């Protein structure tokens, strides 16, 4: 067999082929050994979505409670007040005697055309896990969830009648150890409330007076309290609402 003779050009071609082959092999090996797959346009899109500000993804909601402590709030002095403590992102209200709560020190909270949302869980006890006091123009009112023995819901007070006596009164079963979402809306025509995204109250404002029971006067203009129950609170937030 005749020996293979390489010209200078053919030798250069062989060397180049070997070099390119090794380079391709090295790239394949890198892909196999890499801990993560190559980036794609889908990955870039996910990253862009993740980098968006939280406020832009939450429909304009703004937290009412700072990340730490109770800045902007104070424990309400009901006389026999209980303790309010932080547990991560939650606030835990101990059983008061009979009330335990917090009230806002914010001076410029809107008087109308706003929404408030919160999640509450009754850990122990059998009375209201939501006593949200809020402004209605120059008046005030409270959304009660789980009062009068654990199941009564309503606005307190309307035309001098509390939640157990006016047309907003209804029964809702609240189980200890479960989370419930409350949402309240005050616009120029109605005070509306939802539990777990189901509308339960739509009270017309025109021709009616709104007030609070004397026990929660100190919660005004904006406050939250519980009655003889240990309760956890989270996702307490608000946003402006378009007037109707």
């Amino acid at each position: 067999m005749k020996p293979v003779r390489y010209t200078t050009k053919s030798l250069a071609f062989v060397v180049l082929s070997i070099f390119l082959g090794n380079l391709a092999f090295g790239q394949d090996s890198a892909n196999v050994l890499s801990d993560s797959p190559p980036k794609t346009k889908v990955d870039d899109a996910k990253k862009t979505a993740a980098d968006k500000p939280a406020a832009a993804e939450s429909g304009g909601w703004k937290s009412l409670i700072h990340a730490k402590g109770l800045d902007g709030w104070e424990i309400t002095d009901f006389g026999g007040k209980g303790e309010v403590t932080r547990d991560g992102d939650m606030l835990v209200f101990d059983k008061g005697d009979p009330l335990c709560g917090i009230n806002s020190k914010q001076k410029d909270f809107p008087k109308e055309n706003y929404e408030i949302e919160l999640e509450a869980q009754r850990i122990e006890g059998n009375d209201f896990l939501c006593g949200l006091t809020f402004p209605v123009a120059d008046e005030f009112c409270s959304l009660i969830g789980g009062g009068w023995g654990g199941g009564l819901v309503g606005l307190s007070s309307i035309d001098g009648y509390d939640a157990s006596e006016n047309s907003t009164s209804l029964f809702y079963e609240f189980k200890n150890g479960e989370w419930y979402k409350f949402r309240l809306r005050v616009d120029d025509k109605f005070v509306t409330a939802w539990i777990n995204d189901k509308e339960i109250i739509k009270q017309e404002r025109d021709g009616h007076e709104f007030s609070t029971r004397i026990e929660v006067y100190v919660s005004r203009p904006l406050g939250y309290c519980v009655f003889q129950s240990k309760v956890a609170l989270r996702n307490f937030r608000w946003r402006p609402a378009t007037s109707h």
Side-chain angles (χ1 to χ4, degrees):
M1 183 174 64
K2 293 182 180 180
V4 178
R5 297 181 182 276
Y6 294 99
T7 65
T8 302
K9 289 183 179 181
S10 62
L11 183 60
F13 176 79
V14 170
V15 171
L16 179 61
S17 298
I18 294 173
F19 173 78
L20 292 176
N22 287 338
L23 181 61
F25 175 78
Q27 289 176 338
D28 290 342
S29 299
N31 287 340
V32 171
L33 297 176
S34 174
D35 290 333
S36 58
K39 287 183 64 177
T40 65
K41 290 184 178 180
V42 175
D43 296 324
D44 289 336
K46 288 181 179 178
K47 184 178 185 300
T48 301
D51 288 343
K52 289 181 180 179
E57 295 183 336
S58 62
W61 290 104
K62 303 174 184 179
S63 178
L64 281 165
I65 301 294
H66 291 277
K68 295 182 180 179
L70 279 174
D71 290 349
W73 296 79
E74 59 187 2
I75 297 177
T76 310
D77 187 2
F78 290 116
K81 63 183 180 182
E83 293 297 319
V84 181
T85 56
R86 292 290 298 232
D87 184 357
D89 293 332
M90 301 185 303
L91 292 181
V92 179
F93 297 76
D94 285 339
K95 289 184 179 181
D97 187 20
L99 291 160
C100 176
I102 57 175
N103 57 281
S104 175
K105 295 189 288 185
Q106 183 177 343
K107 303 298 184 183
D108 58 350
F109 190 80
K111 293 184 175 183
E112 54 191 340
N113 294 322
Y114 66 84
E115 289 185 272
I116 296 176
E117 187 175 83
L118 62 92
E119 294 177 41
Q121 177 189 133
R122 189 169 55 204
I123 301 169
E124 298 174 8
N126 60 359
D127 217 284
F128 67 75
L129 65 160
C130 176
L132 176 64
T133 297
F134 56 92
V136 184
D138 293 325
E139 299 175 326
F140 305 92
C141 193
S142 299
L143 171 62
I144 302 298
W148 282 263
L152 187 135
V153 175
L155 295 178
S156 183
S157 298
I158 300 174
D159 300 325
Y161 295 96
D162 68 29
S164 67
E165 302 170 324
N166 62 53
S167 61
T168 67
S169 182
L170 60 98
F171 179 84
Y172 194 101
E173 183 180 8
F174 295 99
K175 296 180 180 179
N176 286 8
E178 293 191 10
W179 288 100
Y180 296 89
K181 182 167 72 173
F182 296 85
R183 180 158 63 98
L184 172 84
R185 177 189 176 100
V186 178
D187 59 44
D188 52 3
K189 291 186 178 180
F190 298 97
V191 175
T192 312
W194 295 259
I195 298 179
N196 291 344
D197 297 321
K198 180 180 180 180
E199 184 180 297
I200 55 166
I201 295 171
K202 195 175 187 70
Q203 172 63 46
E204 190 173 11
R205 288 181 53 183
D206 188 37
H208 296 281
E209 294 182 357
F210 295 85
S211 61
T212 63
R213 287 177 58 111
I214 192 170
E215 296 93 332
V216 296
Y217 273 12
V218 287
S219 294
R220 302 178 303 175
L222 179 65
Y224 178 86
C225 66
V226 301
F227 189 93
Q228 290 185 334
S229 298
K230 184 175 182 178
V231 173
L233 171 70
R234 69 184 184 187
N235 296 330
F236 192 18
R237 56 189 189 168
W238 82 279
R239 67 181 176 185
T242 305
S243 61
H244 286 175

